[in-house]
Amino acid sequence: MREEKPAEDSQESPCNGIDKPYHVPVMADEVAEFFAGGLNEGLLVDGTAGAGGHLEMLSRALPRMSFLAVDRDPAAVSILRSRFSDNPDITVRQGSYTEIPEIINELGLRKASAALFDLGLSSIQLDDPSRGFSYRYEGPLDMRFDDSTGKTAAELLNGISEKEIADIIYKYGEEGRSRRIAKAIARNRPVNTTLELAEIINTSIRSRRNSFKILSRVFQALRIAVNGELDQLERLIDGLEGWTEVGARIAFITFHSIEDRKIKLLFRDTPGYRQHSPRWVVPGEDEVRKNSRARSARLRMGIRT
Ligand SMILES: C[S@@+](CC[C@H](N)C(=O)[O-])C[C@H]1O[C@@H](n2cnc3c(N)ncnc32)[C@H](O)[C@@H]1O
């Protein structure tokens, strides 16, 4: 068995080009193979549909299934609606994946035979300076998936204690220099833009070695905190049994070791689930070469029993 390494977010985006207008789906072949291996009919829920990269592929691979696409981000939902407007088998809804039970109820759908969760953020979100996810472009420090609700990253950073900032950076970014960085942020508040924050971090760590890694970790940590991502994931896991049928195939793509561990425990140790073999899959070298964002991804698959 391979040793588990902490995963790391990448801020390198593969889809800036006109020839790639959408987010490039990670491990799409492996995901399609998993679902197509045991499914023919029924409902497949894509709980983090993003720009619909996986969905497009799955709707082609599984032509007899119907699909529910959910995303928390209203901008992603607009893309999904226009991309799949002529496909009657795909229903799109804006909301968190924690709201899937209510959405299924409201639409009068049956329990799902399959579910996919590709966690984290899309290249489209990362590449939009107005969203504030990237340390590469100047923009407001926002980072909310759903920008109609909740505190922005700037509001969060400017309103909590230095210790709370350090805890976020350490826990969600797995960054050892969390206290030093938190002190610099606290001293230089208010922090309102991405490049202001990047400059504070760079100055605080002094050495430019590994600075991109550190920036990635701090930005990732803030994004996780702003969106309550781990809390959301726990709520999703707690409710999953209620809206998936026995035998359902469930796949998670994670980019962070804390998330990955939760999914490992779900499929390995939770009654009502079993791990599918292989227990996890990572992208091949070729995929990582073409799509640097795939580098830290891990796919875990499980079956409802
Ligand atoms: C990595 S992208 C998915 C990309 C998609 N698989 C594709 O191929 O285009 C992750 C998506 O999850 C969404 N997201 C994050 N947290 C969410 C939540 N709690 N509920 C629903 N969507 C969420 C983000 O807005 C983002 O669009």
Side-chain angles (χ1 to χ4, degrees), residues 62-76:
L62 297 159
R64 296 178 65 187
M65 294 199 73
S66 54
F67 299 86
L68 171 62
V70 175
D71 202 286
R72 205 174 172 187
D73 179 355

Side-chain angles (χ1 to χ4, degrees), residues 5 7 17 28 32 112 139 152-153 156 160 265 269 279:
K5 280 193 304 199
T152 65
L156 179 79
I160 58 178
L265 296 178
D269 298 344
R279 280 172 295 175

